[in-house]
Amino acid sequence: GEDGAKADKPYGGWIPRAAMDEIARIVGQPPVRVYEVATFYSMYLLAPVGKYLVQFCTTTPCWLCGSSDIVAAAEKHLKIHMGETTKDGLFTLMDVECLGACVNAPMVQINDDYYEDLTPERMVDILTALAEGKDIPAGSQTGRKCSMAIKGPTTLKELAEKTGVA
């Protein structure tokens, strides 16, 4: 996967059927058992993806906070839809179930990093910067620390101030 990401046309990071068959042989299970696992979990990819795999959480908390607008902005900017990869091989868009950052919704996971507290405009900024090879700080895009409330700490205020979180 890492070598494939550096290639002119990115490849790697996915499991072809021949590999699943070999995995089944190694672990002594029928191939269908491996297929079941590989098709159930979104972390297993069954086809090549772009250098940047953009996974959109559209589960209820993110949806209520505007994830559909984030998706629309990305699709419009990249001129592709969910499940598609840009012609240059840079971006693949994928709809996934909850990524577990509900308090900082809406959010996306790009490769291994979470980008939280998104707006449609910020989503486009992130995609543009990545296309230009720039690093984008992961985490809250509004400066929020960890999962604190939008208006700041609501409990353990003294500890938050002492540790520099507040």
Side-chain angles (χ1 to χ4, degrees):
E2 290 176 13
D3 290 339
K6 297 174 191 171
D8 286 339
K9 185 173 182 185
Y11 63 89
W14 62 287
I15 308 170
R17 183 167 178 175
M20 289 189 279
D21 292 342
E22 180 63 9
I23 292 166
R25 186 193 66 74
I26 290 169
V27 299
Q29 292 292 317
V32 71
R33 298 262 181 173
V34 177
Y35 306 158
E36 289 170 342
V37 171
T39 57
F40 181 80
Y41 294 101
S42 62
M43 71 202 59
Y44 297 115
L45 304 171
L46 304 181
V49 296
K51 179 177 180 180
Y52 300 107
L53 176 59
V54 185
Q55 298 177 76
F56 294 85
C57 178
T58 55
T59 311
T60 305
C62 281
W63 177 76
L64 288 170
C65 292
S67 66
S68 57
D69 295 332
I70 306 303
V71 169
E75 288 181 333
K76 181 178 178 184
H77 177 71
L78 296 174
K79 298 176 178 63
I80 60 172
H81 297 287
M82 287 293 189
E84 297 178 344
T85 301
T86 56
K87 290 180 184 177
D88 60 7
L90 279 181
F91 297 97
T92 298
L93 305 182
M94 183 177 179
D95 182 27
V96 295
E97 290 302 316
C98 183
L99 290 166
C102 306
V103 72
N104 294 357
M107 58 84 59
V108 300
Q109 180 178 348
I110 302 176
N111 296 347
D112 294 329
D113 296 319
Y114 279 16
Y115 296 85
E116 306 158 342
D117 297 316
L118 292 171
T119 63
E121 297 78 21
R122 184 64 185 142
M123 185 73 242
V124 170
D125 290 345
I126 291 169
L127 295 171
T128 300
L130 290 173
E132 294 171 355
K134 297 177 182 174
D135 288 329
I136 302 297
S140 174
Q141 299 300 297
T142 62
R144 183 182 350 188
K145 302 290 184 194
C146 302
S147 344
M148 79 169 59
I150 291 173
K151 295 182 179 180
T154 57
T155 60
L156 303 172
K157 292 181 182 183
E158 289 177 18
L159 183 59
E161 290 173 11
K162 182 178 178 182
T163 59
V165 174

